[in-house]
Amino acid sequence: QVQLVESGGGLVQPGGSLRLSCTVSGSIFTRVTMGWYRQAPGKQRELVATITSGGNTNYADSVKGRFTISRDNAKLTCDLQMNSLKPEDTAVYYCNTPQALFRWGQGTQVTVSS
C-alpha cells in the first residue's frame, strides 16, 4: 500500500517562505499526477497545485505566482516551494493525486503569523 509522508511545515512570518516535501513509498509515483492540498480550520480541503508525471504544472489562482510544485521521480518526492506567504495560507498541507488515489498522510502544519 502506498504511503504518503509530508514534512517541512512550521511557523513563518507573513512574506516568508517554506518548502514542503512529500515522500511516496511506491514506484507508481512515477506514473501519476501528484498534487498538494491544504485544509484550513473549518474549511474543505482544496487542491492548490498539481504536477504531471512529465512535469506540467497547474495552480489555484490563490497561490499562482507564489507557490512552485516540483517532483523528483528518482527520489519519489514531490515538493512545494511556498514564497510570499500570507496569513490565509495557514492550513494543514497534504499531498496526493488529484483523484485522491492514495491513503491520506498525516499532513504538515503551516502557520503564517506575525
Side-chain angles (χ1 to χ4, degrees):
Q1 185 174 2
V2 174
Q3 290 187 321
L4 305 172
V5 179
E6 300 92 350
S7 62
L11 172 64
V12 63
Q13 293 186 341
S17 298
L18 280 175
R19 187 175 184 89
L20 308 183
S21 186
C22 169
T23 300
V24 182
S25 65
S27 59
I28 189 175
F29 171 86
T30 64
R31 302 192 296 276
V32 299
T33 295
M34 288 298 297
W36 277 94
Y37 296 74
R38 67 186 181 187
Q39 187 167 21
K43 295 188 177 181
Q44 287 190 331
R45 191 172 294 173
E46 64 169 333
L47 182 62
V48 299
T50 61
I51 185 167
T52 67
S53 57
N56 293 317
T57 59
N58 197 24
Y59 300 92
D61 288 344
S62 58
V63 307
K64 198 173 294 183
R66 300 188 298 120
F67 290 11
T68 302
I69 189 171
S70 61
R71 67 190 295 159
D72 187 328
N73 286 339
K75 295 181 179 179
L76 306 184
T77 58
C78 179
D79 290 355
L80 186 68
Q81 177 67 42
M82 307 186 296
N83 299 327
S84 302
L85 283 161
K86 305 175 181 180
E88 51 263 43
D89 295 318
T90 295
V92 180
Y93 284 72
Y94 303 86
C95 62
N96 210 321
T97 71
Q99 302 82 13
L101 291 177
F102 306 137
R103 183 176 179 179
W104 293 97
Q106 81 287 351
T108 186
Q109 174 71 48
V110 172
T111 303
V112 185
S113 175
S114 55

